[in-house]
Each structure stands twice: as structure tokens, then as C-alpha cells.
Amino acid sequence: MRFAIIAAGDGSRLAAEGLGVPKPLVRIEGMPMIGRLTRMFVSHGADRVAVIVNPRQPETVAFMRDLSKTLPVDLVVEDTPTPMHSLHALAPYLQGVPFCATTVDTVFRDDSLAGLIKAFEGSDFDGMMGVTGLVDDEKPLYVRTERDMTISAFLDEKADCRFVSAGVYALAPAALDVLARAVWEGEKRMRHFQRRLLDNGMRLKAFDMGQVIDVDHVADIEAARRMLL
């Protein structure tokens, strides 16, 4: 199984609040978030970890180039307009095998990831999508589920949903074909890609990852550290 880390954003909100380091290098559990995720993925059996970083963050580029000397990292340095386009830029490194993708600012527990991967590998679903009951996003993507946690819709409004997307996706290789089509047809958001997965008949199941923190503001950093403790 391969893994992907999307870290090509510019972290403008954190910078505006006075943070002096690029978002991927914010320290969680004593190490930069991007390094923590990479090592976590390798510890869970990653064949390779595809990572995309922003060329306007030379410190992050240098950190990942150094890390790639000792870990199985495929590094892409590219400025992309959206996380969906970032995932598409990583697609050549994910072809033909199941993969798990997330953004660098999504902080979750190691055992939550282990549970998601185990559930995906032991199922006949085309995707296992991480969800959380904690709404910690300014514009959350609500996930409608059936009683067995099969996903029936991704919604912008809460409606009758118990969960929101946690930003962690374990998917079958066919998802990359759906992604390529979405990019080619001009889609611009990751949630549009997820809806297309359902529209194309892919069977997706939700996995409750418990508490998940999106690090978008300085206050989120301490919240993530407390959550992991």
C-alpha cells in the first residue's frame, strides 16, 4: 500500500497570525507535522510515501529532501491551485495499488490510522473514508452514512449527518481515474472528487477516527498537542 501527503498550500492563515515556520514544519509530538506523518505511514507498512510540497517554502523542501535519504519518499515540488490538484500531481506515484492520502495539517492518533487501514484491507469496499464527529473545520464536508457506515452522500450542509470528513482517504486504484476525469473537466475541490467517486459507482465506507484536528490557526496547534496527549 502507498501513502500520499498533500502539503502544497502556503499556510497563509498561520503566517498572518505570526507563526514563523511553514505549516508543514509545525512541531507535533516533537517533530514537524510532515515528518511525523511520513514516519507514521512508514511504520504502517508503506511501500512508498508520495509527498507534494510548495516550492515557495524552501525550508520544507530541504527537510523532505533530507528525509527522503533515509525513508521511501517520492517528493514532488510543485505549486498547485487546490488539494485535489495536488493529489492529481501525486497520482503517477500511486498507480496500480491501493493508497491512503491526507493533508499535512490533519492531526490524528496513530491507532486511528491503524484502525482505518485494517478496516480497508479487510473489506470489499472501494474506499474507506476517515470521518469524525468533531466539527473542527470552517467549512466541513458532512458525510451521510447508512446504519452499516456505508456512505450515501457528501454534503455541504449538516442535514441528518452524524459525521464530517476527517480528510483521510484509503482508496482503490480506480479512484485515480475518477480524479483525472474531475481535473480534466475543471473541478476545483476535493469534495467534488469525493462526490464523483459515488457517482461512478464506487462503494465507500466511513471509518470513525475519533477526534481529528485541522491545524489552520495557531490555537489549533496546542489543541492538537493536547488531543494526542
Side-chain angles (χ1 to χ4, degrees):
M1 188 169 184
R2 295 185 183 175
F3 291 77
I5 301 173
I6 298 169
D10 54 16
S12 57
R13 285 173 290 190
L14 285 171
E17 294 176 12
L19 190 71
V21 299
K23 180 190 283 190
L25 300 186
V26 169
R27 288 187 170 268
I28 300 290
E29 291 190 315
M31 68 184 74
M33 288 197 295
I34 196 167
R36 175 181 177 271
L37 272 176
T38 303
R39 293 183 183 281
M40 185 187 298
F41 290 162
V42 170
S43 74
H44 287 290
D47 298 324
R48 306 288 301 176
V49 182
V51 183
I52 182 167
V53 297
N54 195 314
R56 296 193 303 275
Q57 296 179 357
E59 304 100 317
T60 305
V61 175
F63 177 84
M64 287 309 300
R65 283 181 174 158
D66 187 60
L67 197 63
S68 67
K69 295 176 183 177
T70 56
L71 295 178
V73 172
D74 295 308
L75 182 62
V76 174
V77 182
E78 186 177 331
D79 191 3
T80 57
T82 72
M84 187 186 76
H85 289 83
S86 292
L87 182 59
H88 185 245
L90 295 176
Y93 301 96
L94 307 172
Q95 295 287 342
V97 294
F99 66 93
C100 179
T102 188
T103 52
V104 73
D105 56 356
T106 303
V107 180
F108 43 82
R109 295 184 180 88
D110 183 271
D111 58 349
S112 296
L113 176 67
L116 182 145
I117 294 170
K118 182 178 180 180
F120 178 54
E121 292 179 337
S123 78
D124 59 355
F125 280 79
D126 301 304
M128 191 69 61
M129 317 297 273
V131 298
T132 175
L134 174 68
V135 182
D136 182 50
D137 196 304
E138 294 172 356
K139 294 182 179 180
L141 175 63
Y142 293 94
V143 183
R144 179 182 289 161
T145 57
E146 306 297 335
R147 297 186 68 169
D148 65 351
M149 295 292 276
T150 297
I151 296 174
S152 58
F154 295 103
L155 304 170
D156 294 326
E157 303 295 334
K158 185 175 182 178
D160 56 348
C161 302
R162 293 189 297 146
F163 300 106
V164 299
S165 173
V168 185
Y169 326 103
L171 294 165
L176 295 178
D177 296 330
V178 178
L179 176 64
R181 185 75 177 180
V183 171
W184 185 78
E185 292 183 353
E187 296 284 15
K188 299 185 181 302
R189 302 189 68 184
M190 188 70 82
R191 61 185 58 191
H192 297 157
F193 160 57
Q194 293 177 71
R195 288 171 181 146
R196 280 181 174 240
L197 294 175
L198 291 176
D199 292 342
N200 279 267
M202 296 189 72
R203 298 176 62 246
L204 307 179
K205 192 168 186 177
F207 180 86
D208 187 357
M209 297 187 71
Q211 191 173 10
V212 177
I213 303 291
D214 284 335
V215 178
D216 292 322
H217 300 280
V218 170
D220 297 331
I221 300 171
E222 185 57 32
R225 290 169 177 164
R226 289 197 305 270
M227 182 265 289
L228 293 173
L229 287 175

